[in-house]
Amino acid sequence: MTASVKIENEIAVVIMDDGKANAISLTMVEALNAALDEAEASAKVIVLAGRPERFSAGFDLKFFAAAEPEQMRSLVVGGGKLAFRLFTSEKPVVIACTGHAIAMGAFLLLAGDTRIAARGAYKIGANETVNGMVLPAFGVELPRARLNPMYLTQALAQAKLYAPDEALPVGWVDQVVEPGEVMGAAMAEAERLLPIANFAYGRNKRMARQPAIDLIAPTLEA
């Protein structure tokens, strides 16, 4: 299993854990979508977390190295659709960033509503430039929507990776807590959001994000 879901008291906890770096592979995308199907059908609030010390290291680069162009595109679009699904979900989405969140892992952070990170020697950010990769549209529009504009060039073009406390003013995360407290803080936030997890929450969130939604959606069409 690369992703699991547990639902209790109308809160769904979705955990990514491939036993390694939580790379975003076709298998991980499929598992997360299945977990989100269950979460959206049976819960009012979603908490997405990684394994200890690893939220997600981003796309599976070993797969990219051996893949045909169409296979690469399939994974990038699949990852983009996953982030877009979280970004547009009518449910409140809380993310427990349990460790490193790099590239696609960092874009998943931006797709959440409240992002709570574990303090430590972890890296958060988009390093595509270092790897000679041009960002997909969602990799630009999610940061444009969620990051502090003062840091946008540094964060994207210059591919700076941030420690969790450094990532806070940039806008990658909303709160930083000690590692042993990250899940507890995420669950407390989910409990706080539960009373307002209604139709208005989803509509108001979507309206606030509509400019980014309009720019990202056409780029993910089959």
Side-chain angles (χ1 to χ4, degrees):
M1 292 292 293
T2 53
S4 62
V5 59
K6 180 179 179 181
I7 299 172
E8 190 171 340
N9 298 327
E10 299 183 300
I11 297 172
V13 179
V14 178
I15 297 180
M16 298 182 286
D17 189 351
D18 65 0
K20 298 176 286 187
N22 276 352
I24 303 300
S25 62
L26 290 171
T27 300
M28 180 67 84
V29 169
E30 182 180 4
L32 282 172
N33 277 315
L36 289 172
D37 287 344
E38 184 176 348
E40 289 177 347
S42 304
K44 290 185 176 180
V45 180
I46 298 170
V47 175
L48 175 63
R51 62 193 303 268
E53 300 191 346
R54 301 287 189 277
F55 179 69
S56 173
F59 281 127
D60 186 345
L61 297 182
K62 289 183 179 179
F63 174 84
F64 279 164
E68 297 295 327
E70 191 57 35
Q71 293 175 312
M72 295 174 64
R73 183 181 183 279
S74 178
L75 180 53
V76 171
V77 172
K81 287 181 175 180
L82 175 63
F84 190 70
R85 179 178 187 172
L86 293 169
F87 190 64
T88 58
S89 176
E90 294 184 356
K91 315 283 186 180
V93 178
V94 180
I95 296 187
C97 183
T98 48
H100 299 292
I102 299 172
M104 188 64 223
F107 300 140
L108 290 178
L109 289 183
L110 299 183
D113 299 354
T114 304
R115 296 79 44 85
I116 302 171
R119 179 173 286 114
Y122 307 125
K123 298 298 182 183
I124 297 173
N127 65 343
E128 277 77 1
T129 299
V130 173
N131 294 319
M133 300 171 68
V134 176
L135 289 161
F138 68 84
V140 176
E141 297 306 331
L142 287 174
R144 202 195 308 271
R146 303 300 307 277
L147 296 186
N148 183 332
M150 291 179 61
Y151 293 94
L152 201 57
T153 296
Q154 182 187 79
L156 296 187
Q158 296 177 358
K160 182 174 175 61
L161 297 180
Y162 304 88
D165 283 296
E166 296 173 330
L168 188 60
V170 180
W172 288 111
V173 298
D174 300 299
Q175 184 181 353
V176 180
V177 299
E178 295 305 314
E181 300 172 1
V182 66
M183 284 305 299
M187 293 305 294
E189 176 67 359
E191 293 280 0
R192 186 186 73 84
L193 292 171
L194 198 55
I196 58 169
N198 54 30
F199 174 78
Y201 185 99
R203 289 295 299 149
N204 289 334
K205 180 171 78 170
R206 189 176 182 94
M207 286 191 295
R209 297 179 172 184
Q210 198 65 52
I213 291 170
D214 291 342
L215 290 168
I216 295 171
T219 72
L220 299 176
E221 294 175 359

